[in-house]
Amino acid sequence: MIKNNYKPSEAKSYVEQVGKDVADQELALRVYTSRIIGQNPDLVMHGGGNTSIKVERKDLFGNTKQVIHVKGSGWDLDTIQAPGLPGLWLDPLRELRNLDKLSDEDMVNVQRANLLDSSAPNPSVETLLHAFLPHKFVDHTHATPFLILANLPNAEEVCKEIFGSRLGVVPYIMPGFALAKKAAEVYDQDPSVEGLMLLGHGHFAFGETAEESYNQIISHTQTVADYFNLKKPTALNVKSSHKSHEVLPVIRGLIAEMIGPNAAMPIIDVRNGPEEMEFLKRADLDSLSERGTASPDHVIRIKGRPLVLRKSIWEQGSSAIKGALKDYENEYKAMFERQAAKAAQPKTILPPDPKTIWMEGVGLLGLGSNFKAASIAGDLVVQNARVRSVGEDAGGFYPISEKDLFDCEYWSLEQAKLGKGKAPAFQGKVVMVTGGSGTIGFETANAFASLGAQCFLIDLNQENLGAALEKLGKGHFGKALDVTDPKAAKEAITSVIETYGGLDILVSNAGSAQSGSMIDMTSSSVRKAFELNFFSHYEFAKEAANLIKLQSRGGQILFNISKQAVNPGKNFGAYGMPKATTFFMMRQLALELGGDGIRVNGVNADRIRSGLLTDNFIAERANARGISEDKYMAGNLLNAEVKASHVAEAFVSLAQAERTTGHVMTVDGGNIEASLR
Ligand code: ZN
């Protein structure tokens, strides 16, 4: 199950990319094996592991000194580069072993004080453990098989049974100075060991070369996997369709309500492969949920326990789910009171909302303030389910105590990992944009995404959609649909719920103009124009409003209208009439949805270079008027071309105008004939 991915040719190419400096070449090998460890989620996941190397470098005076490079915070092993392994002078760190005690704050400070580059990221909180071991290469993982082993009630005994005296066993201590000292002590008792198992925590291996240390990691982990008969890697990201489309938005809304009056709704990432569904059928679900996390660092991201949501509860709807959340909140607060009373320093309670939900019949849910956080919680809930169930069946899942978990959850150094600073304006807000790969649609999605939103694009063309999503980057999704298809709006809403759990903002943008005089147009082509430029907006708005109502936290609908709605252009009647109707609908919906906190606004844009107004068309128009293309495009009061990005800005500012509804914002550079009176 744990594949050895070391390839001498790849290792060589890492070395060849750096200069002639021996220390840099050794560091390049450290980067390589760190990456192949990080790329296997059954070895490390989301910051749950670290690596180091000891090299010799010269100080400013030309003296050769020992330096340790160890993983820095903010870097993930799978994508790490040399700057992600900051160097520290080793001798002063090793001297610390003589101390009886060292506070976390003093440890962080002395580590920073010994950095070769004062601007480097903070070295790992497990740096001293790496420093106190004598080996050139040290690798540390929270591998799935080791987490099963390390949480057995008789883990030490089983470890001896599997490895004999090849692995030293370190008792559970929270990461930091005391653990580093203890691990070094265990090593010193028998320096012939090939590695260490840390109870309730993970695995260490070491070697004189990158390959040797990596091989030990792989072979130890495979040995443990064989013992537990684990055949396949943990299948992350298995998602399939589910039928809880009415329930997830309700959960989103209730969780935001639980956090506070202005709290944003979480993103929900559902994992519902066959293994997850099988897990949810276990009779001991409640008991397994109460034991604690597979590894102490998990508690930072997913709290000590999941919310177990039984089908009999969630099927009853909102008030029953609210009751289950209230129970969860009360238990979390009680746990906090119990443990905070025993803590040396005063603690402030974190928001009590669950980060994972074991939802019977639906799947394992990861929740987070944005898609990344939700999918990290999703990965961890899947790994935890496997560790807990396999461990329980193999003798028992007995992770660290509630007190030890509390110490990690409320540990100042771990809290620092979560990232500080103000969240972006649209963090975690789900924005659906129809016509999302067109010029205006894409610019609009991009503007929201750059402010932290998760975008879900709808577009007619699969290929264009793929290209647009690629440009937007990770965490954004979409679906190819014809918005005039009677089933399209429903399908789009179902997909957005399956992807994020709900929706905050709809930008109903898709549209297209056909030209021709009213007298010459056929009524069927006028009807067609209404299908696209009015009815599709109507259907999407209806479905979106119904979904937003389920969340009970308000939301927004934004329409791309057009100056045509108020200022007819010759031969554009078939475009202007449905747009005028959409304009009216915007106001009607603002009137009818205001009570639900749903704001409805629109943008009237004009003369934007796009799929509607192509370069050829611009050339033709400019030519007909005997002016240059630039002059034609800048034919407004400001004498400046209006771009799609200006339209995008208007959508974003309407979305931010908290007391504005039933409003249309004109984006045309100024045109008195089209201005609203
Ligand atoms: Zn660790």
Side-chain angles (χ1 to χ4, degrees), residues 47-50 126 140-142 175 179 198 201-204 295-297:
N50 41 62
E126 281 159 342
H140 168 47
T141 68
H142 295 180
L179 174 62
L198 276 56
H201 177 163
H203 173 221
F204 270 84
S295 164
D297 62 315

Side-chain angles (χ1 to χ4, degrees), residues 45-46 234 236-237 269 271 366 374-384:
M45 246 202 263
H46 308 303
T234 308
L236 296 169
N237 262 314
D269 185 359
R271 308 295 173 93
S375 66
I376 288 174
D379 287 348
L380 293 178
V381 68
V382 170
Q383 189 194 30
N384 264 270

